[in-house]
Amino acid sequence: TDSSNNSNQRMILVSVEEMDRPDLYISQLSFSDDNPDEGDTIELNAVLKLAKMNVTGEFEVGFYLDNLDNQIGSVMVDGTNLTKGIEGGINVSTSWKAVSGTHTIFVVADSTNIISEGSDDGEKNQLAKDISVTAKETSNDTSIILLILVVVISIGAVGYIYKDSLFGN
């Protein structure tokens, strides 16, 4: 309203959009040996990628055996080393001493949930892959050696008992 009592009103609608959040994800999981033997040391390799907004802090990438309660390794990642986009990404890896059986290896980006990634379609930070580990065969060498030893001692004992009849006086 002005001094002449004239007035005007204008209404503008403003919609506030949610700010983009970083989106960390694992694009690939591979093993240094897809068919290891029990006791072999395997390198677990993952490719970590970032979409949307950059990350400036440090966070953990966790590796798990069979479930998310059994952590077998972790790598701390400096978010400033990540370049957002499909082409970007960094390799993270850890070693694991193979245990016999069929297992599922999980890798989880930001396993301690330090980075706020928003909730548009939930965080999809993990990837899983199966691996089969062959059990080592147990050696029968000790059993064979003991069996040969018993046979030799038995033949020697029989030979000693019957030495007179076998070889004369």
Side-chain angles (χ1 to χ4, degrees):
T1 304
D2 63 11
S3 59
S4 302
N5 211 20
N6 295 319
S7 65
N8 192 2
Q9 183 177 349
R10 193 178 286 186
M11 183 185 286
I12 299 175
L13 294 175
V14 177
S15 60
V16 179
E17 292 185 22
E18 186 176 326
M19 187 171 126
D20 262 352
R21 299 270 190 229
D23 183 15
L24 296 166
Y25 62 98
I26 303 296
S27 67
Q28 183 180 355
L29 175 60
S30 61
F31 311 126
S32 60
D33 185 353
D34 287 330
N35 297 301
D37 292 326
E38 178 181 17
D40 289 353
T41 300
I42 308 301
E43 282 294 313
L44 310 174
N45 304 298
V47 177
L48 172 68
K49 292 193 174 187
L50 172 67
K52 300 182 181 177
M53 186 178 161
N54 287 331
V55 176
T56 57
E58 196 173 57
F59 59 93
E60 181 179 274
V61 174
F63 293 84
Y64 301 85
L65 179 64
D66 294 327
N67 61 58
L68 296 179
D69 295 325
N70 188 15
Q71 188 171 28
I72 56 175
S74 67
V75 176
M76 291 305 291
V77 175
D78 180 358
T80 59
N81 292 332
L82 285 169
T83 303
K84 67 181 177 178
I86 296 172
E87 300 302 320
I90 62 170
N91 294 319
V92 291
S93 63
T94 192
S95 297
W96 170 60
K97 190 166 185 145
V99 178
S100 67
T102 299
H103 302 285
T104 302
I105 303 292
F106 295 89
V107 61
V108 181
D110 190 25
S111 58
T112 55
N113 288 322
I114 291 177
I115 308 297
S116 174
E117 294 183 65
S119 59
D120 51 350
D121 37 47
E123 293 185 19
K124 297 177 182 169
N125 294 1
Q126 74 183 31
L127 188 64
K129 185 175 178 182
D130 292 336
I131 187 169
S132 292
V133 179
T134 306
K136 280 188 178 178
E137 293 183 25
T138 56
S139 174
N140 291 336
D141 291 347
T142 305
S143 301
I144 292 171
I145 291 171
L146 287 175
L147 180 63
I148 292 171
L149 187 60
V150 167
V151 169
V152 168
I153 290 173
S154 298
I155 291 172
V158 169
Y160 182 76
I161 293 170
Y162 294 104
K163 71 179 175 190
D164 290 338
S165 61
L166 290 172
F167 302 109
N169 288 339

